[in-house]
Amino acid sequence: MSELVQVTRRDGVLIAAVNNPPVNALSPGVPEGLLAAVREAAADDAIHAVVILGTGRTFIAGADIREFARIVSGEAPPLNLAALLEEIESSAKPVIMAIHGSALGGGLETAMAGHYRVAVASAQVGQPEVKLGLIPGAGGTQRLPRLAGVEQAMRMCALGEPVTAADALACGIVDRIVEGDLLEGALAFAAERPAVRRTRELQEKLLDATQSEQLAETFRTECGRKLRGQSAPLAALDAIAATARLSFADGIAYERELFDACLRGAQSRAMIHVFFGERTVAKIPFLPKETATLPVRRAAVVGAGTMGGGIAMCFANAGIPVLLKDTTQPALDRGMATIRRNYEASVRKGRLAAAQAEQRLALITPTVQYDGFGEADIAVEAVFEEMKLKQQIFRDLDRAMRPGAILATNTSTLDIDFIAAVTSRPKFVVGTHFFSPANVMRLLEVVRGKDTSPAVIATAMELAKPLKKIAVLSGNCFGFIGNRMFGPYREQAVSLVEEGATAQQVDEALTSWGMAMGPLAVGDLAGLDVSWRVRQEALRLRRPHLEPKTFEDVLYELGRYGQKSSLGWYRYDENRRATADPEVEHLVREYAAVQGIAQRTFTSQEIVERVLYALINEGARLLEEGIALRSVDIDIVYVNGYGCPAWRGGPMHYAGAVGLAKVLEGVRKFHDELGPAWKPAPLLEQLAREGKTFEQWSR
Ligand code: 3HC
């Protein structure tokens, strides 16, 4: 018997407990162990039923995702889970699955191969494979519609969201919710001597071909909107729709074909990279695991504007009382009114109970003084990007906060060390770059200054968990990881327009590639006045890599600040819907003529290469300089903060998929044509020469 599955007996029931921490994934040995347990039960006359459950914090969280790369490379044999589960389902003695924690992916597929399922109320079940660019590959697309109906199966498999135990009970996935001890509940269920009931034999909830196809079409439209560019959701819908025309066995064969195609595709490689990447970024190689963090029981935020208000909401949402300071009462009132409106919108959308919203609001205390700051463990400054102003606030905070409290700055570009230098505690100064809107966006860039202490870095990284953020550690440089790379990316977008492309062409090329928004539309959203101010501040602080003037400065000088002024790269109506503006087209051609910029047309492919290769080349520099710890940190920043689709895996993963030799060839060509800004990063040259990817490089 496999050690991964522990077998005990009680009251004529064989209990098989999966013991494969941390999440009881179906690593090699687990499914075999379960099958062996079922066979053992079959051979033992004293046993009348089998209960399968998970030890530790969860039932089975799915196939072992780490195995997938080995399967694709041929190091491990293909997944044989469906066949093993079919044998478990064939058991002549009832098999009862007892679920706590999560039954996800192969975990739910295992559960559905049992004859009955009982669950505790806090459990969740789901088929999240699409989030890894896959479809269920162990019968999920065939058993789930038989248990829960075609519509529910399509929703769960195509969108990938799990459902609660209560919902699973309502739709037929779960047969009973157990109050109290799960094992006792499962044994009580077994004692009722239920008859064997095989999911694969159920037919009542299946639909005919027309109905199935209609539903599939509805979900295809929804996926086109919500999961644009992804192929796995469409494959999952095809597999489920096939239940109308194929036998169970043929359906399983069809599912396997589609699963294998997804597994061998670039999208799943990219999404699995992101899955592990989101966990890797929390691991900081130079911080010993035992580094003690500082408690954060109370917080303070300076600046009640969009960013400050959003950050205060993050603390309140985590149950941490927070002071919100601004200089004048009207500014503070405006900030609090926005926060209230945001909470009210969440209540209206059913995301929050009214009482919860009130509780959270009550945790935010507005103030125009530094009174009470002495009790806060962390203060986050969130005023606009001006070094002098930030330094003044840090002097005030240094006086107002107790020794040992953390002073954080929500800067998106500025030098943390300059800010820390005006305080008496540079060790306790750290950058926390939230993304707008701060209460929604998942990314938090934590920026370490030259003196920031390990405990403060660890605390800021750890704080991401209660705030429900993904923290990525960055070194200190102009723009850190995200905005430093975004600079050349946007510069190329602007240059392309100056050289003859239209703004829509550039944006559409990037959105067709998968970006949530095009770079110029992002400029309009963030405000061209904001990027202008950042450029000026950077020039003032002598950052020579910034071009002195671009066409974007012309737009700024004309008061075209973007969405906020209804005019920017585009023209906006009262609902902020963008349309192309012939005036911009006219202005840019005029600008190009004055500047002597040659005009030509561009293909989408050329646009994508220009803009993305600039991003990748800068990313390579960040790695060399140690600003980003690993290439995956850059990828996670771009997927969670800049709208890069997970199915591309982030810019550095994408570079590997294209091939670094090809990327380098492009960069060299642009260097020859466009000048020194395109100097290839030495790391890109080195890895291209060695035939490696960024992921294969380590410091
Ligand atoms: N395989 C391998 N490792 C896994 C795993 C899996 N299915 N699920 C989680 N892990 C690892 C994580 O990488 C992490 O490792 P680390 O500690 O070394 O970083 C560790 O387990 C703990 O995971 P989390 O930090 O995510 O723990 P949480 O408690 O926050 O979340 C969870 C638990 C909800 C189960 C979450 O881990 C999760 O969503 N896992 C993925 C579930 C999934 O996608 N299942 C489908 C797999 S594909 C499949 O089953 C195909 C089938 O149809 C054939």
Side-chain angles (χ1 to χ4, degrees), residues 48 76 149 158 162 183 264 324 359 507 548 573 586 615 628 630 670:
H48 67 84
L183 177 58
R264 285 166 208 290
L324 179 61
Q359 271 165 12
D507 279 349
D573 67 13
H586 169 73
L615 192 67
R630 300 147 291 214
F670 294 136

Side-chain angles (χ1 to χ4, degrees), residues 224-498:
R225 233 176 338 107
K226 293 186 179 158
L227 307 172
R228 184 167 59 87
Q230 294 182 35
S231 46
L234 307 180
L237 293 171
D238 282 353
I240 297 169
T243 52
R245 56 186 164 82
L246 299 180
S247 67
F248 180 80
D250 288 345
I252 291 284
Y254 185 49
E255 176 193 86
R256 184 182 191 114
E257 207 179 288
L258 294 172
F259 175 84
D260 281 346
C262 288
L263 184 62
R264 285 166 208 290
Q267 292 199 357
S268 74
R269 243 190 331 278
M271 292 177 95
I272 289 171
H273 166 72
V274 170
F275 175 85
F276 285 120
E278 289 187 345
R279 286 148 182 88
T280 302
V281 291
K283 297 170 184 138
I284 308 302
F286 63 82
L287 278 188
K289 250 193 159 176
E290 59 283 1
T291 310
T293 56
L294 308 171
V296 177
R297 288 171 294 233
R298 289 180 168 275
V301 173
V302 180
T306 315
M307 286 310 293
I311 296 168
M313 286 177 76
C314 292
F315 282 111
N317 295 347
I320 301 172
V322 56
L323 291 162
L324 179 61
K325 180 187 177 306
D326 212 310
T327 43
T328 66
Q329 195 60 47
L332 203 52
D333 291 345
R334 271 197 305 278
M336 286 304 290
T338 306
I339 292 173
R340 177 169 281 283
R341 265 200 311 279
N342 284 341
Y343 278 129
E344 283 168 358
S346 297
V347 171
R348 255 197 324 279
K349 289 175 192 157
R351 291 189 190 137
L352 206 60
Q356 273 176 313
E358 286 306 323
Q359 271 165 12
R360 292 179 188 192
L361 257 172
L363 286 172
I364 305 176
T365 308
T367 173
V368 286
Q369 309 285 345
Y370 279 107
D371 295 355
F373 271 55
E375 279 139 50
D377 302 302
I378 186 170
V380 181
E381 161 278 310
V383 301
F384 55 77
E385 290 288 89
E386 205 184 285
M387 181 59 85
K388 271 195 181 148
L389 178 63
K390 288 194 188 265
Q391 285 178 327
Q392 185 50 49
I393 289 170
F394 267 71
R395 283 190 196 96
D396 295 343
L397 283 173
D398 197 26
R399 272 192 299 274
M401 306 281 290
R402 64 167 172 77
I406 298 175
L407 309 189
T409 169
N410 175 56
T411 172
S412 57
T413 50
L414 297 178
D415 193 322
I416 306 295
D417 293 332
F418 278 33
I419 298 173
V422 302
T423 72
S424 64
R425 57 176 103 188
K427 281 189 176 139
F428 291 88
V429 175
V430 69
T432 47
H433 178 204
F434 289 80
F435 285 68
S436 184
N439 50 315
V440 177
M441 296 290 285
R442 284 178 85 206
L443 181 62
L444 174 69
E445 258 183 321
V446 171
V447 187
R448 59 182 162 125
K450 67 177 168 40
D451 296 316
T452 313
S453 78
V456 170
I457 296 172
T459 304
M461 294 296 293
E462 193 65 25
L463 185 60
K465 283 186 197 146
L467 300 194
K468 299 220 161 52
K469 304 284 172 210
I470 291 187
V472 176
L473 186 64
S474 171
N476 184 24
C477 68
F478 180 83
F480 321 125
I481 295 175
N483 281 344
R484 160 108 174 250
M485 288 172 68
F486 203 63
Y489 170 82
R490 285 206 67 232
E491 271 161 34
Q492 290 309 315
V494 174
S495 296
L496 281 160
V497 181
E498 291 174 352

Side-chain angles (χ1 to χ4, degrees), residues 22-23 25 57-58 61-66 68 79 81 102 104-107 109 124 127-129 132 134-138 259 275-276 279-280 283:
V23 296
R57 66 199 218 205
T58 185
D64 187 339
I65 303 168
R66 292 189 195 278
F68 290 148
L79 212 60
L81 206 49
S102 305
L104 297 176
E109 291 170 299
Q124 58 163 0
Q127 298 284 178
E129 287 88 344
L132 302 171
L134 297 170
I135 69 165
F259 175 84
F275 175 85
F276 285 120
R279 286 148 182 88
T280 302
K283 297 170 184 138

Side-chain angles (χ1 to χ4, degrees), residues 622-653:
L622 287 180
L623 285 173
E624 277 161 13
E625 293 168 25
I627 298 294
L629 289 170
R630 300 147 291 214
S631 67
V632 71
D633 294 69
I634 297 177
D635 288 333
I636 298 309
V637 164
Y638 267 77
V639 168
N640 287 287
Y642 291 82
C644 180
W647 56 268
R648 292 288 195 185
M652 307 315 271
H653 178 86

